[in-house]
Amino acid sequence: MRMAMIWLIGTAAWVLSASSSLALDKTPAPAGTAAPPHWSYSGEHGPAHWGDVAADGAVCAIGKSQSPINLAAGAATTGKAGNFKINYAPGAVALLNNGHTIQADVSDATNTVTFDGTSYTLAQFHFHAPSEHTVDGKQFPMEIHFVNKDANGHIVVVGVFVQAGAENKLLAPMFSALPATATPAGTHAGSPLKVDIPAVLPKDRKAFVYAGSLTTPPCTEGVHWIVLAQPIEMSNAQIDAFKSIIHDNHRPLQKINGRDVVSETE
Ligand SMILES: [Zn+2]
């Protein structure tokens, strides 16, 4: 019941903001509405200092199961780290720019990932350029994170690599409407857009599965990572459209500390 109330309030806020926020990204945020940047990707608030500068960020510095990591194809054991199934459907997304990334919020609760028998609902997906995870040392131009949460707030992230190639028509409506400036907290830019979310994912569902963390402060651990091995394509123009707004938002590679990386398929 409480979850339902929160969902209803969230949906109402989205509808309200969608009807009144077409010009939001051109309107200066009233003073005090946008959270100040406590952390960044370079300089004195950069990744090496997240443990000190970010609220509740100590685990960023002292955690032993941090993300991202290099995924060594040859070293991955085959087997089952956790049975997973991705059950996404086409639906509406609402965009925001939080100063660290551009994010597509998903309000349709029918988008889920099941992992070890637990259902996780897709909350949002967002972008990093260049990629955060690497495969055998190879970094991709972009990486998309699909963030899924269960009823207790536990998180499964599905990672999708992006390589340069053909224009991605599925993401074209989003990438021609990327909010160029930070959207005030709690609001979205523009109208909701329809996206065929399952079609955005690669067809081959072979994945690297491992236990890691959020790649942004507070770097919370206990995150189940499902990083799909097959990259998708976006054009250089699309990749550059993102990079012209968000400059290098990847966290450096973290120590594996003996963790298992399992190669498995859906
Ligand atoms: Zn991310």
Side-chain angles (χ1 to χ4, degrees):
M1 187 59 187
R2 188 157 166 268
M3 286 301 290
M5 279 298 289
I6 290 167
W7 184 84
L8 275 174
I9 291 164
T11 305
W14 179 359
V15 170
L16 276 174
S17 70
S19 61
S20 62
S21 65
L22 264 175
L24 263 184
D25 64 346
K26 304 233 169 23
T27 309
T33 57
H38 296 295
W39 57 272
S40 64
Y41 282 98
S42 62
E44 61 181 8
H45 295 154
H49 307 285
W50 286 356
D52 301 320
V53 299
D56 304 321
V59 74
C60 300
I62 61 172
K64 293 284 185 264
S65 301
Q66 291 288 294
S67 295
I69 58 172
N70 176 55
L71 303 162
T77 56
T78 51
K80 291 285 179 188
N83 287 293
F84 74 88
K85 178 95 171 67
I86 300 167
N87 319 291
Y88 291 165
V93 304
L95 299 183
L96 64 87
N97 174 339
N98 62 19
H100 301 297
T101 190
I102 291 170
Q103 178 172 310
D105 280 348
V106 179
S107 62
D108 184 349
T110 62
N111 282 288
T112 62
V113 172
T114 49
F115 188 90
D116 269 352
T118 300
S119 181
Y120 297 75
T121 301
L122 177 62
Q124 47 100 342
F125 57 94
H126 62 265
F127 301 82
H128 295 269
S131 73
E132 299 205 292
H133 291 92
T134 56
V135 178
D136 292 331
K138 176 186 164 65
Q139 191 172 41
F140 292 84
M142 288 186 94
E143 181 174 339
I144 312 177
H145 290 159
F146 294 82
V147 180
N148 312 268
K149 296 180 183 174
D150 76 0
N152 298 313
H154 299 137
I155 295 173
V156 167
V157 184
V158 177
V160 174
F161 292 118
V162 177
Q163 64 184 8
E167 183 194 28
N168 191 312
K169 295 208 163 34
L170 298 164
L171 292 172
M174 270 183 57
F175 273 69
S176 58
L178 295 176
T181 55
T183 34
T187 70
H188 295 100
S191 304
L193 300 167
K194 284 282 267 186
V195 178
D196 189 345
I197 300 170
V200 171
L201 271 54
K203 288 192 174 59
D204 187 335
R205 298 293 169 82
K206 188 166 161 248
F208 298 99
V209 179
Y210 79 97
S213 74
L214 300 180
T215 65
T216 55
C219 309
T220 311
E221 297 189 337
V223 173
H224 300 293
W225 277 94
I226 301 169
V227 183
L228 297 173
Q230 184 183 47
I232 63 167
E233 287 190 356
M234 294 181 65
S235 67
N236 278 319
Q238 289 178 312
I239 294 167
D240 289 346
F242 178 85
K243 286 163 66 178
S244 72
I245 299 171
I246 304 289
H247 310 289
D248 192 340
N249 64 341
H250 87 287
R251 185 188 193 192
L253 292 172
Q254 304 295 302
K255 290 196 176 75
I256 292 185
N257 293 323
R259 279 175 283 173
D260 284 332
V261 177
V262 178
S263 174
E264 65 175 271
T265 197
E266 188 175 66

